Amino acid sequence: MKLVLAVVQDDDSGELIERLVKNKYSATKLASTGGFLKEGNTTLMVGVTADKVEDVISIIKEVCQSRKQTFTTPIPPTGSASVFIPYPIDVMVGGATIFVLDIDHFEKV
Ligand code: 2BA
């Protein structure tokens, strides 16, 4: 048994859950926040047998898109603490960040 953990963008999460459920995968959706942008994203937990991991990853790849996101840095660009000029920066946010974990024990009671 494996656990696929996927951090995806909120905009893709609805369609991704739909596609997973349609393909008979159980998924749990967690509201999460990216450490860098400090914006909301979605973490999905999908528990599957090892032979299904590649299929789950291919569904994630089909649905999730990279997008450019602009955020305003809280750091003064001059390095001066007294002058604060909001400074927009473009960041490319990936379609999904995927972790595959080994599960020691899986049980439903
Ligand atoms: P965030 O941490 O909010 O990061 C959003 C995007 O900002 C990242 O996209 C990356 O393009 C950029 N970024 C992140 N840290 C950076 C840094 N120190 N310097 C410059 N740019 C930086 P992704 O790499 O596609 O990550 C999307 C989201 O996936 C992340 O949101 C985070 O929630 C999660 N994530 C990514 N890598 C992770 C990891 N190694 N462990 C846990 N979560 C991760």
Side-chain angles (χ1 to χ4, degrees):
M1 196 77 184
K2 302 277 186 185
L3 181 66
V4 180
L5 270 184
V7 183
V8 305
Q9 295 180 48
D10 288 345
D11 288 348
D12 295 323
S13 65
E15 189 186 341
L16 181 55
I17 290 236
E18 245 175 60
R19 287 280 301 274
L20 290 168
V21 170
K22 204 179 272 179
N23 284 277
K24 311 251 184 291
Y25 295 114
S26 293
T28 297
K29 179 180 168 184
L30 305 170
S32 45
T33 304
F36 187 68
L37 294 181
K38 313 246 180 326
E39 294 204 350
N41 53 28
T42 297
T43 300
L44 290 183
M45 299 196 304
V46 189
V48 287
T49 51
D51 59 315
K52 298 288 184 198
V53 168
E54 282 313 313
D55 189 42
V56 169
I57 290 176
S58 74
I59 293 171
I60 295 170
K61 282 181 179 164
E62 278 169 32
V63 173
C64 298
Q65 309 163 22
S66 295
R67 293 183 185 85
K68 197 169 17 169
Q69 218 164 310
T70 304
F71 81 108
T72 305
T73 173
I75 303 159
T78 58
S80 155
S82 57
V83 182
F84 179 84
I85 304 163
Y87 188 72
I89 292 179
D90 283 339
V91 172
M92 204 64 195
V93 183
T97 301
I98 300 168
F99 305 86
V100 180
L101 286 73
D102 287 326
I103 300 301
D104 282 342
H105 182 80
F106 173 76
E107 184 175 337
K108 289 185 181 180
V109 292

